Amino acid sequence: VQLVESGGGLVQAGGSLRLSCAASGSTSNIKSMAWYRQAPGKQRELVAGITLGDGSTNYADSAKGRFTISGDNAKKTMYLQMNSLKPEDTAVYYCHARRVIFTTTLPYWGQGTQVTVSS
């Protein structure tokens, strides 16, 4: 499975960005996808996740009310609409996918896309 992110960039505080993640390869057993981010000197943290089958979502407190995650189960793609961006949202954003084969769970990561929010 390969994950390719796009949509990062430089934006002013209060602006918006939309991140995309497309999975390719053996994608048939991908059950959930998520966005993580890692700022310089900090640990990677979950931003939002989605279960592709039923569309259920979960968000970090920092993302609630500002970010919206969505996904397409047929295409194995995922999006993150980020509004009201703040300088503290500056980080590399990573796409994550969880593939389940019988009782084995396999995680996959994308290369990351930089999001920079200027004040």
Side-chain angles (χ1 to χ4, degrees):
V1 174
Q2 294 80 44
L3 302 174
V4 178
E5 303 102 332
S6 61
L10 173 64
V11 65
Q12 288 188 331
S16 299
L17 283 175
R18 186 175 188 248
L19 305 183
S20 300
C21 175
S24 62
S26 300
T27 63
S28 58
N29 294 316
I30 291 177
K31 303 301 182 184
S32 64
M33 300 180 76
W35 289 100
Y36 285 75
R37 68 185 182 186
Q38 188 167 19
K42 294 188 177 181
Q43 289 189 330
R44 191 171 297 189
E45 63 178 3
L46 175 69
V47 177
I50 184 168
T51 300
L52 294 178
D54 62 11
S56 58
T57 59
N58 62 288
Y59 294 90
D61 288 343
S62 59
K64 289 178 181 176
R66 300 188 299 127
F67 296 0
T68 302
I69 190 171
S70 60
D72 185 323
N73 192 27
K75 296 181 179 180
K76 304 301 183 187
T77 56
M78 173 180 64
Y79 308 94
L80 185 68
Q81 178 65 43
M82 304 187 293
N83 298 328
S84 302
L85 283 161
K86 305 174 182 179
E88 51 263 44
D89 294 317
T90 295
V92 178
Y93 284 68
Y94 295 92
C95 174
H96 176 273
R98 184 174 64 93
R99 186 172 171 226
V100 179
I101 302 174
F102 297 109
T103 59
T104 300
T105 298
L106 301 172
Y108 298 90
W109 292 96
Q111 293 295 314
T113 184
Q114 176 71 45
V115 171
T116 303
V117 184
S118 63
S119 58

